[in-house]
Amino acid sequence: MPKFFLSYVPDEQAVLTGEDGRHIAKSLRMRPGETLTLCDCIGMDYEGEILSIEGETVTIKILACTKCAAEPTLKATLYQALPKQDKFDSVVQKAVELGVARVVPVMTARCVSRPEEKALAKKVERWRKIAVEAAKQSGRGILPQVGDAMPFRLAVEEVEAAGGVNLLFYEGGGARISALVDESVHTLSLFIGPEGGFEASEVELAAAHGIRAATLGPRILRTETAPIAALAAIMQASGNL
């Protein structure tokens, strides 16, 4: 069933216009009487029936409201070191599908990709659009956020202030996910390094701020593979997969 996000869903009727209305009317070619799902971006789904379509304006009758079953109990934030080329596009898409709440691009010592401020701003805007589309496709109950890029030190300080379980996945070894995450964990942050991995000084800095080193096993994964493997394992360990 098609899903659309609104900042507010009325009790009886809702109206979709603009891009969403155009998508319903022209791309999906939906008709009055067909049903769709509206989401209020804070975890509630609303089943709706199309009453009318006039141009790009779609009027919807609200039939029922339920908590979104697809939204995990764990609020996870991915701090991903900026990779080369367009790999971050795929990371955002797959991380959102797996249930992440927020993705933050991070500049670490070994990041090869270092776009200028204007170019980076355009990339962040594209990543935010990718996150929205992935949320719609996967039936999420919120719109996961993509934050502005930040230096590693500031990211570490932000995570320490936020609390929760905080992990840095390090090829040099660490604890297994099963020993760090279970169904009692509801807030978690994870760091993934760039193509060259984290410097030892960065691992030490993270540890000094209460971030634990974790492992994804004996194989060294690519920077775009590691967050997907980590999130899948974390969702499994927390009872969300």
Side-chain angles (χ1 to χ4, degrees):
M1 186 183 298
K3 189 168 193 175
F4 300 88
F5 288 86
L6 293 175
S7 57
Y8 170 71
V9 180
D11 292 334
E12 297 181 359
Q13 289 187 8
V15 177
L16 292 180
T17 59
E19 184 178 342
D20 285 342
R22 188 161 52 250
H23 185 62
I24 290 170
K26 296 185 177 180
S27 299
L28 297 178
R29 298 183 180 276
M30 298 185 76
R31 296 290 181 265
E34 294 188 84
T35 57
L36 46 69
T37 300
L38 302 178
C39 181
D40 62 5
C41 301
I42 55 174
M44 299 301 292
D45 283 345
Y46 297 77
E47 182 184 355
E49 177 185 333
I50 297 176
L51 293 178
S52 66
I53 300 177
E54 298 179 5
E56 297 176 356
T57 299
V58 182
T59 303
I60 301 158
K61 178 182 179 181
I62 304 302
L63 302 176
C65 172
T66 57
K67 186 176 181 180
C68 178
E71 199 56 34
T73 60
L74 173 69
K75 182 179 180 181
T77 300
L78 168 62
Y79 291 84
Q80 170 73 45
L82 201 61
K84 295 184 294 185
Q85 301 170 341
D86 59 355
K87 296 175 183 177
F88 206 91
D89 293 16
S90 178
V91 168
V92 170
Q93 182 187 64
K94 303 311 178 188
V96 169
E97 290 177 16
L98 282 165
V100 79
R102 181 169 172 247
V103 181
V104 181
V106 177
M107 301 300 298
T108 67
R110 294 177 180 171
C111 280
V112 175
S113 177
R114 295 183 179 276
E116 296 180 353
E117 184 176 349
K118 186 176 293 186
L120 184 56
K122 289 183 178 179
K123 287 178 179 288
V124 170
E125 186 62 30
R126 184 174 76 248
W127 296 330
R128 288 171 177 162
K129 291 179 180 178
I130 290 172
V132 170
E133 291 306 312
K136 290 179 179 179
Q137 182 275 322
S138 57
R140 295 290 301 274
I142 65 168
L143 284 177
Q145 303 299 303
V146 177
D148 293 326
M150 64 173 62
F152 180 75
R153 177 176 290 276
L154 290 183
V156 164
E157 292 173 355
E158 178 179 274
V159 164
E160 182 182 35
V165 173
N166 303 315
L167 309 176
L168 180 143
F169 287 89
Y170 182 46
E171 64 273 17
R176 297 174 63 87
I177 291 173
S178 58
L180 300 169
V181 181
D182 57 29
E183 294 186 14
S184 69
V185 176
H186 297 295
T187 304
L188 181 145
S189 297
L190 63 151
F191 284 83
I192 301 293
E195 285 84 356
F198 289 110
E199 287 191 344
S201 60
E202 291 173 324
V203 178
E204 293 170 1
L205 176 65
H209 286 77
I211 301 170
R212 297 191 61 178
T215 181
L216 289 170
R219 295 163 298 283
I220 296 177
L221 304 181
R222 292 181 181 272
T223 185
E224 68 271 27
T225 306
I228 310 310
L231 283 167
I234 287 167
M235 290 300 171
Q236 175 68 30
S238 63
N240 287 289
L241 193 65

